């Protein structure tokens, strides 16, 4: 059976490696492995979310909510927007991006992604016949090359993806820059990915009231500690949200995901503590990595740090392999377009795990 032409030509998306994989490959105990590769919340989910899941298990023989009004209200309250400006996605923010593509992309359209950035945008939109056009991040200045965005725009441009803080660089895009791009291109959908906005303590959500072509993506997989439950959401003007609801799967969120999300948003103490601990861990890692000769970490506003390792004599694949043998998972960034073979990314862990990682990193490099 022959697959569609675009599927036949596509490369598979390369996710971070799991603890189970590393334990099996290197004969290690799963509980001894420290995972700094997938930008998760290392302190676990909200206790209120876990308790709600236990209570809801007895109801999983029933279909989940379809309108999700209670959860939409909590998301809107958390984001500081109207209920009518929120859409919920199962399968994390990935479903939100997929529904955006199904709603607005026609075959032959173009979308712009500055490199390096989160590559799943490209993976999803190409399935619908859209063509990626690349702008760039200036790695020397650690900022978006704004001119490259404007140069990439054509009459075929349908979407521009701008991740802020950007993955993998940790860079913020100034709100004035985002507003300028949106105002000059009213027929283009400006998609701002705020997956990590809590760690930056900066949001662009006010732009959805100012511009009818701004869409903000968010996730519950980072600060909110529900990566395994796969919940994302989007913020935009009512018109965009209404169009998307025509396409969105009716039962994309499970009953367990629903109650987990609902109770996490209501656990403000947990959220505040997760943000505080995450920022502390990020600062500790940045300070300690900066002291190690040969490593060049980027300042970050996210829960991860991009590190240039070329001066160590290791390639990214060599260094990640040596760390994996010792039970440490970091992200080899070779698969990120726009980066060469000498970049790794590390994400926050508990301070105890951070300290162990630094010790093992020094051991490997020495």
């Amino acid at each position: 059976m022959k697959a569609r032409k675009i599927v036949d030509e596509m490369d598979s998306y390369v996710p971070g490696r799991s603890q189970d994989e590393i334990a099996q490959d290197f004969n290690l105990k799963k509980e001894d492995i420290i995972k700094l590769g997938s930008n998760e919340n290392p302190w676990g989910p909200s206790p209120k979310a876990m308790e709600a899941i236990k209570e809801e298990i007895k109801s999983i023989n029933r279909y989940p909510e379809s309108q999700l009004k209670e959860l939409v209200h909590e998301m809107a309250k958390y984001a500081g927007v109207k209920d009518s400006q929120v859409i919920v996605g199962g399968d994390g923010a990935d479903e939100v991006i997929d529904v955006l593509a199904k709603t607005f992309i026609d075959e032959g359209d173009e979308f712009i992604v500055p490199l390096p950035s989160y590559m799943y945008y490209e993976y999803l939109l190409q399935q619908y016949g859209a063509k990626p056009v690349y702008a760039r991040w200036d790695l020397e200045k650690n900022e978006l090359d704004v001119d490259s965005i404007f140069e990439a725009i054509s009459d075929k441009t349908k979407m521009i993806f701008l991740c802020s803080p950007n993955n993998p660089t940790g860079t913020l895009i100034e709100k004035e820059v985002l507003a300028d791009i949106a105002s000059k291109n009213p027929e283009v959908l400006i998609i701002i990915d705020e997956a990590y906005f809590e760690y930056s303590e900066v949001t662009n959500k006010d732009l959805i009231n100012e511009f009818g072509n701004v869409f903000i993506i968010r996730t519950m997989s980072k600060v909110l500690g529900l990566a395994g439950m796969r919940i994302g959401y989007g913020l935009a003007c009512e018109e965009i949200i209404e169009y998307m609801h025509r396409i969105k799967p009716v039962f994309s969120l499970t009953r367990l995901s629903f109650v987990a999300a609902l109770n996490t948003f209501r656990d403000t103490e947990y959220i505040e503590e997760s943000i505080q601990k995450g920022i502390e861990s990020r600062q500790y890692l940045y300070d300690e990595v900066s002291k190690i000769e040969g490593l060049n970490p980027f300042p970050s506003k996210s829960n991860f740090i991009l590190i240039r390792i070329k001066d160590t004599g290791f390639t990214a694949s060599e260094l990640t392999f040596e760390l994996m043998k010792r039970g440490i998972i970091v992200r080899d960034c070779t698969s990120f377009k726009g980066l060469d073979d000498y970049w790794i990314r590390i994400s926050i862990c508990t301070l105890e795990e951070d300290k162990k990682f630094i010790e093992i990193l020094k051991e490997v490099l020495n």
Side-chain angles (χ1 to χ4, degrees):
M1 178 66 71
K2 184 72 173 176
R4 290 169 52 216
K5 184 174 182 291
I6 184 60
V7 177
D8 189 49
E9 294 173 351
M10 284 175 62
D11 294 325
S12 297
Y13 179 73
V14 182
R17 300 195 67 187
S18 71
Q19 288 166 302
D20 289 313
E21 288 178 295
I22 302 306
Q24 182 174 351
D25 290 350
F26 296 97
N27 195 28
L28 299 169
K29 294 180 180 178
K30 181 180 175 179
E31 58 269 24
D32 292 336
I33 295 171
I34 297 175
K35 190 178 184 185
L36 300 94
S38 297
N39 305 342
E40 298 155 333
N41 183 332
W43 295 280
S46 159
K48 292 182 180 179
M50 289 190 285
E51 190 60 36
I53 288 170
K54 291 176 186 176
E55 289 296 315
E56 189 66 19
I57 285 176
K58 62 181 180 293
S59 300
I60 60 173
N61 60 311
R62 303 296 183 188
Y63 281 107
E65 296 288 334
S66 58
Q67 298 301 313
L68 305 172
K69 289 183 179 180
E70 196 176 4
L71 177 56
V72 165
H73 181 70
E74 289 296 334
M75 287 176 166
K77 180 180 174 183
Y78 181 71
V81 301
K82 300 175 186 175
D83 292 14
S84 58
Q85 295 175 312
V86 176
I87 188 167
V88 184
D91 195 23
D94 297 341
E95 182 184 86
V96 177
I97 300 169
D98 188 61
V99 173
L100 276 169
K102 288 177 181 176
T103 307
F104 296 106
I105 289 293
D106 289 310
E107 189 166 353
D109 284 342
E110 295 178 353
F111 62 96
I112 296 170
V113 182
L115 300 180
S117 194
Y118 182 52
M119 294 311 301
Y120 211 72
Y121 311 136
E122 180 177 348
Y123 175 78
L124 284 173
L125 266 68
Q126 281 186 296
Q127 298 174 34
Y128 300 101
K131 176 186 174 184
V133 177
Y134 302 120
R136 64 184 290 269
W137 291 88
D138 188 327
L139 293 175
E140 294 301 320
K141 296 180 180 179
N142 192 19
E143 64 183 29
L144 176 67
D145 183 335
V146 182
D147 289 340
S148 73
I149 296 289
F150 289 115
E151 290 165 4
I153 295 170
S154 74
D155 57 2
K156 293 183 179 180
T157 305
K158 185 64 70 72
M159 297 180 179
I160 302 174
F161 286 89
L162 298 169
C163 190
S164 183
N166 184 47
N167 179 12
T169 63
T171 315
L172 276 173
I173 306 172
E174 295 295 328
K175 183 177 288 188
E176 293 75 15
V177 170
L178 295 167
D180 188 42
I181 295 171
S183 65
K184 290 179 179 176
N185 301 277
E187 300 304 314
V188 178
L189 192 56
I190 312 303
I191 300 170
I192 305 169
D193 189 339
E194 288 193 345
Y196 305 94
F197 86 95
E198 289 102 336
Y199 295 107
S200 70
E201 301 176 286
V202 173
T203 177
N204 301 284
K205 56 97 175 177
D206 293 340
L207 295 181
I208 69 170
N209 294 317
E210 189 174 348
F211 302 101
N213 62 329
V214 169
F215 188 94
I216 293 177
I217 301 171
R218 289 189 176 176
T219 179
M220 298 192 73
S221 296
K222 312 305 176 186
V223 157
L224 301 176
L226 294 177
M229 302 302 286
R230 312 305 301 129
I231 309 157
Y233 61 108
L235 313 175
C237 67
E238 288 91 341
E239 183 182 23
I240 289 176
I241 298 299
E242 196 278 325
Y243 277 134
M244 292 177 69
H245 271 127
R246 300 180 189 182
I247 299 296
K248 180 184 175 295
V250 177
F251 297 119
S252 66
L253 206 65
T254 69
R255 295 189 73 95
L256 301 186
S257 295
F258 174 78
V259 297
L262 196 63
N263 285 277
T264 297
F265 280 120
R266 291 170 176 170
D267 193 350
T268 55
E269 184 179 340
Y270 164 80
I271 296 172
E272 291 169 4
E273 189 175 331
S274 289
I275 294 170
Q276 181 185 354
K277 286 181 177 178
I279 292 173
E280 287 174 358
S281 175
R282 179 185 71 200
Q283 190 61 50
Y284 173 83
L285 286 169
Y286 180 78
D287 291 344
E288 293 303 311
V289 169
S290 298
K291 298 173 185 176
I292 302 175
E293 187 176 354
L295 297 181
N296 298 287
F298 276 25
S300 174
K301 290 293 185 179
S302 189
N303 70 342
F304 55 79
I305 299 170
L306 182 67
I307 306 172
R308 188 173 184 269
I309 64 166
K310 193 167 187 176
D311 294 338
T312 66
F314 285 90
T315 64
S317 61
E318 290 168 346
L319 182 56
T320 54
F321 181 78
E322 291 300 321
L323 290 170
M324 280 191 288
K325 288 197 302 186
R326 295 161 173 82
I328 302 290
I329 304 174
V330 302
R331 184 64 188 262
D332 175 355
C333 290
T334 305
S335 63
F336 280 86
K337 291 180 180 177
L339 294 178
D340 60 23
D341 297 337
Y342 299 97
W343 299 86
I344 64 169
R345 190 193 66 198
I346 60 172
S347 54
I348 59 171
C349 275
T350 67
L351 284 177
E352 181 182 353
E353 291 172 323
D354 289 342
K355 291 173 182 177
K356 185 176 179 182
F357 160 67
I358 293 297
E359 289 175 7
I360 293 175
L361 179 61
K362 289 177 179 178
E363 173 190 314
V364 170
L365 294 176
N366 291 330

